Amino acid sequence: MTATTSQQARNDAATRLDELSAEVARLTAQVVDLQQAQAERGHAGDGDDQPPLYSTVEEWVTTYLLPTFPRPVGEVGMTRWHWCEQWWRHDEAVTRLTALWYGWEQARLQMTGMLPWLRELDHQLPILYGDDGPFRDCAAGGDLGVRRHSSCPEMPAQPAPENWWWWD
């Protein structure tokens, strides 16, 4: 091999190395861009940056839940459904409805999020409206003043013995 041929081969190798280096830099930049886009899509999809559609559980119950999932109150076949217009007086109902609202706000942002949420709703509604639910002692319809609204008495509970909750 002559000196000129040897020099030409080194120049060709250096040029090819520069080309490969430039291609690696281009591909690296493309990967970074794709990772950023995926991270932004993933972050937008988790709902953390999305404000809730309804600002309170009350707004969600009255504007969405009750109109969308109406249930006949009173005797329906062998079942009796209970509802209280003052549902917000019932801690259990507020807790269950708030959990449903939070779940709905999250589920609405996911492509198939409503499927598991509907299963949860189907589980919660019979508990809320059922004979043993939080509205069991409330009269349906009419004036739900003090004489027609009844909250359940608190369940008695004794404090646990000292160190009961320490499972070392």
Side-chain angles (χ1 to χ4, degrees):
M1 188 182 273
T2 65
T4 307
T5 307
S6 179
Q7 183 62 32
Q8 182 62 36
R10 282 192 293 259
N11 289 343
D12 289 347
T15 301
R16 184 69 183 132
L17 186 59
D18 289 343
E19 289 171 354
L20 287 173
S21 180
E23 181 68 10
V24 167
R26 186 187 68 75
L27 289 172
T28 301
Q30 188 176 7
V31 166
V32 168
D33 290 345
L34 289 171
Q35 288 173 333
Q36 180 67 27
Q38 183 178 7
E40 288 172 2
R41 266 197 313 274
H43 187 65
D46 66 11
D48 287 343
D49 290 344
Q50 293 284 334
L53 192 59
Y54 297 97
S55 60
T56 64
V57 66
E58 181 178 12
E59 181 185 9
W60 180 78
V61 166
T62 59
T63 306
Y64 177 77
L65 182 69
L66 294 178
T68 306
F69 300 95
R71 295 293 186 268
V73 176
E75 296 291 334
V76 180
M78 299 293 289
T79 305
R80 176 156 174 77
W81 292 96
H82 302 268
W83 177 250
C84 180
E85 291 178 18
Q86 297 176 13
W87 60 269
W88 35 265
R89 286 184 180 231
H90 301 270
D91 292 340
E92 178 185 354
V94 170
T95 300
R96 290 179 184 278
L97 291 168
T98 300
L100 285 169
W101 168 49
Y102 287 163
W104 182 89
E105 288 286 358
Q106 189 69 31
R108 74 179 176 87
L109 300 172
Q110 301 167 6
M111 188 173 299
T112 59
M114 283 296 159
L115 293 173
W117 182 84
L118 286 168
R119 284 190 292 273
E120 189 59 36
L121 178 71
D122 291 343
H123 173 76
Q124 293 295 333
L125 286 184
I127 294 171
L128 280 166
Y129 296 159
D131 283 337
D132 290 330
F135 310 129
R136 66 185 167 271
D137 294 327
C138 296
D143 174 26
L144 290 177
V146 175
R147 61 181 172 72
R148 295 183 51 88
H149 177 86
S150 175
S151 293
C152 299
E154 289 185 25
M155 300 289 290
Q158 293 181 1
E162 188 175 330
N163 296 324
W164 182 262
W165 301 110
W166 297 103
W167 298 305
D168 290 306

